[in-house]
Amino acid sequence: MSSFSSHQLSGLVGQFHVRGTVASVMPFGSGHINDTYRVQIDKPGERSYLLQRVNHHVFSDVPAVMENIRLVTGHLRAKYRANGDSDERLLDRKVLTLIPTKTDQFFYRDEQGNFWRMFVLLENTRSYDIVGTPKQAREGGRAFGQFQRLLSDLDAALIREVLPDFHHIGRRLDKLHRAVTADAVQRCRRVGEELAFISKRERRMHTVLQLADSGELPVRIIHNDTKFNNVLLDEEDRLQCVIDLDTVMPGYVAYDFGDAIRTIINRAAEDEADLRRIALNIPLFEAYTEGYFEEAHPFLTVGEVDSLMEGVLLLPYMQAVRFLTDFLEGDHYFKTHHPDHNLQRARAQLKLVERLEAEEPALLGIINRVKSRYG
Ligand code: A2G
């Protein structure tokens, strides 16, 4: 994370409509892209905030990102209100709340060209990098199922594709192949095994795109970054809010399902160095699937349900392709904490693909069982 002095950070907070004076601004969270700070206000009982520097190397059109978030949070709030939620303070816990600047913008641009934004911080909530219990997993499934359901009547054409082809496996593989050819930082000789593993599976990993091309998958507004730590739960592990809306864009539900399962089913961390520890927790898969169908069954088509297992294999595979590409390009995209971090992440994700392939019949059986409850 680039360092900003506390004086600079307090000055930035002062650009936004916050109540009270700032007590502290501290780094917060474990995101790979943006820089996040927790802003504590110097008054007991006053709410806290999250100050974020949006990574404008990743998001080249930050105003479009913010416009997407404004549209999506506005739509979600309106839906919750229409469903009878009238207490605005409770709504603040269900939907991210943007704090405008003093000039009524949703971001502030500093003299260095950095983009800053501010959200209300949800007190007494937590997020988990690794899921512990079926209850947490079920709430995660409900979170993203509900998110998609409530957005299913928002016109996808209104949402800007701020990261074009974000989950297009063909484009991701092209980028990997270009990185291999360029071999900019001479790391290619270290990744022969990983490249062979990836190439062996290339064909199958195009299945979601093929289903979409043949008209079997509707384009929906999806979250596109459904790691479990993007769901906030309360102290009793009840769903509060879905966060990190930067990547909300049109896409296919299999992407969100697969990306969520990638973090939920893995007993180890996304970047686990000891590959023997990468093992599946199938009861958590079942719980997530149940929670997801509970919310999503009214809108899911038969084609979409049939695509979910493809998403489960595709998303860790695509994630490995992305980590490996970044490793070969010299680690410009994801924040890394040591020189081989992206390679370690890629290896962990490929091991996860292998474990998922071995359990495919069991996982499919669970999806079909849960689906059959809804006729
Ligand atoms: O890291 C970030 O959140 C990425 N977001 C997401 O796509 C995924 O790669 C994740 C892995 O932990 C963006 O690339 C915007």
Side-chain angles (χ1 to χ4, degrees), residues 76 79-80 137-153 220-224 226 228 230-231 239 241-242 253 256-257 260 264 287-300 304 308 374:
L76 291 173
K79 298 292 282 204
Y80 283 121
R138 183 171 291 105
E139 290 298 277
R142 289 188 52 241
F144 290 119
Q146 187 174 100
F147 185 84
Q148 291 173 349
R149 180 168 57 74
L150 295 178
L151 291 176
S152 62
D153 62 345
R220 298 194 187 277
I221 297 172
I222 62 165
H223 184 280
N224 270 312
T226 51
F228 190 69
N230 279 332
V231 175
L239 164 62
C241 185
V242 168
V253 293
D256 273 2
F257 188 79
I264 281 159
Y288 182 91
T289 306
E290 286 171 353
Y292 179 67
F293 271 81
E294 198 184 301
E295 292 286 340
H297 77 91
F299 70 81
L300 286 179
E304 284 180 310
L308 296 179
Y374 297 96

Side-chain angles (χ1 to χ4, degrees), residues 32-33 58-59 163 166-167 224-225 227 230 244 247 259 262 270 319 322-323 333-334:
H32 296 342
I33 306 289
V58 168
F59 297 101
L163 296 173
F166 189 55
H167 278 153
N224 270 312
D225 195 358
K227 305 201 259 206
N230 279 332
D244 197 348
T247 51
D259 208 15
R262 183 176 77 76
E270 179 183 64
Q319 197 55 69
R322 294 176 59 197
F323 286 143
Y333 188 92
F334 295 103

Side-chain angles (χ1 to χ4, degrees), residues 47-98:
R47 62 189 188 182
S48 305
Y49 300 91
L50 280 184
L51 174 69
Q52 259 186 339
R53 184 173 72 131
V54 185
N55 184 330
H56 61 273
H57 301 293
V58 168
F59 297 101
S60 56
D61 189 348
V62 178
V65 172
M66 297 312 293
E67 185 54 20
N68 280 354
I69 295 180
R70 209 187 52 75
L71 268 169
V72 165
T73 54
H75 188 82
L76 291 173
R77 263 178 189 267
K79 298 292 282 204
Y80 283 121
R81 274 197 208 106
N83 293 341
D85 282 319
S86 51
D87 182 335
E88 290 298 317
R89 280 194 84 90
L90 284 182
L91 275 176
D92 279 358
R93 295 187 69 79
K94 291 192 169 184
V95 186
L96 277 183
T97 308
L98 276 167

